C-alpha cells in the first residue's frame, strides 16, 4: 500500500471515529447543554439567596447537576431532572438521597427563561411573596 493511500485511509478512519462519538446522550437539547457558572444574582423585593460558594449547573439529556465549590477545593453536588418548555425551565430534585442545593427553592421549581444564548443564560425565579430573583449564568 502506498504511503499516501495509508495516510488517507487512517485519516478517514480517525474522522469517522471522532464523528461517531457523542456527548449529547438522547439527542441534542439545544443551547442549554453543558456547564454553566452562576455569575451573580439580583433580588427584587426579596432577600438575595446565598449559595455558599461558586455554583455550577450542568445540563445533559434530561439531567441537571448542581455543584457548589466553597473555595477550598471542597465540592458538593446534587442530581435532578429538568425540562425546558414554553420559556420555562422546570427543575425536579425528587431523589431525597441528593440535597436540593439551590437556595430559596423547593425540590420542584419553575424558572422563567429570560435569555439563553451560547454564552449566557438568565433565569427568573418568582418568590413566595411578590419578590423575585434573577440568576445570571455564563457558559463554562
Amino acid at each position: 500500500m502506498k504511503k499516501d493511500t495509508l495516510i488517507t485511509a487512517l485519516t478517514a478512519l480517525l474522522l469517522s471515529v471522532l464523528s461517531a462519538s457523542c456527548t449529547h446522550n438522547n439527542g441534542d437539547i439545544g443551547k442549554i447543554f453543558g456547564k454553566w457558572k452562576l455569575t451573580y444574582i439580583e433580588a427584587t423585593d426579596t432577600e438575595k439567596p446565598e449559595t455558599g460558594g461558586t455554583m455550577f449547573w450542568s445540563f445533559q439529556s434530561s439531567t441537571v447537576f448542581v455543584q457548589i465549590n466553597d473555595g477550598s477545593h471542597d465540592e458538593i453536588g446534587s442530581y435532578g431532572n429538568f425540562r425546558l418548555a414554553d420559556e420555562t425551565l422546570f427543575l425536579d430534585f425528587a431523589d431525597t438521597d441528593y440535597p436540593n442545593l439551590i437556595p430559596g427553592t423547593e425540590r420542584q421549581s419553575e424558572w422563567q427563561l429570560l435569555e439563553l444564548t451560547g454564552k449566557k443564560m438568565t433565569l427568573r425565579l418568582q418568590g413566595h411573596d411578590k419578590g423575585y430573583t434573577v440568576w445570571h449564568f455564563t457558559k463554562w
Side-chain angles (χ1 to χ4, degrees):
M1 188 181 279
K2 290 184 179 181
K3 185 177 178 180
D4 291 340
T5 306
L6 180 61
I7 290 173
T8 302
L10 288 175
T11 302
L13 177 64
L14 178 64
L15 288 175
S16 65
V17 168
L18 289 176
S19 66
S21 65
C22 181
T23 61
H24 294 249
N25 294 339
N26 298 328
D28 186 2
I29 60 171
K31 294 176 184 175
I32 200 167
F33 174 81
K35 188 171 188 175
W36 297 86
K37 179 182 180 183
L38 177 66
T39 53
Y40 65 98
I41 301 171
E42 296 176 79
T44 303
D45 295 331
T46 191
E47 188 174 327
K48 182 178 163 183
E50 292 296 325
T51 61
T54 305
M55 180 178 274
F56 296 93
W57 292 11
S58 300
F59 298 90
Q60 183 174 344
S61 186
S62 62
T63 302
V64 60
F65 177 65
V66 176
Q67 176 183 17
I68 298 176
N69 182 316
D70 69 3
S72 64
H73 302 293
D74 288 333
E75 297 178 349
I76 56 173
S78 184
Y79 288 94
N81 294 307
F82 84 94
R83 180 172 55 92
L84 186 59
D86 299 325
E87 303 301 314
T88 303
L89 175 64
F90 299 90
L91 297 180
D92 184 3
F93 293 91
D95 189 346
T96 57
D97 288 342
Y98 295 103
N100 178 11
L101 299 177
I102 305 172
T105 66
E106 303 293 326
R107 288 198 164 274
Q108 294 180 340
S109 59
E110 295 181 21
W111 302 69
Q112 181 184 3
L113 181 63
L114 301 178
E115 178 181 21
L116 180 60
T117 68
K119 297 179 182 180
K120 291 175 64 177
M121 177 171 65
T122 307
L123 302 170
R124 179 180 171 185
L125 179 64
Q126 186 65 45
H128 296 294
D129 51 13
K130 63 180 178 176
Y132 61 90
T133 54
V134 178
W135 297 53
H136 297 268
F137 294 85
T138 56
K139 192 70 164 248
W140 197 252

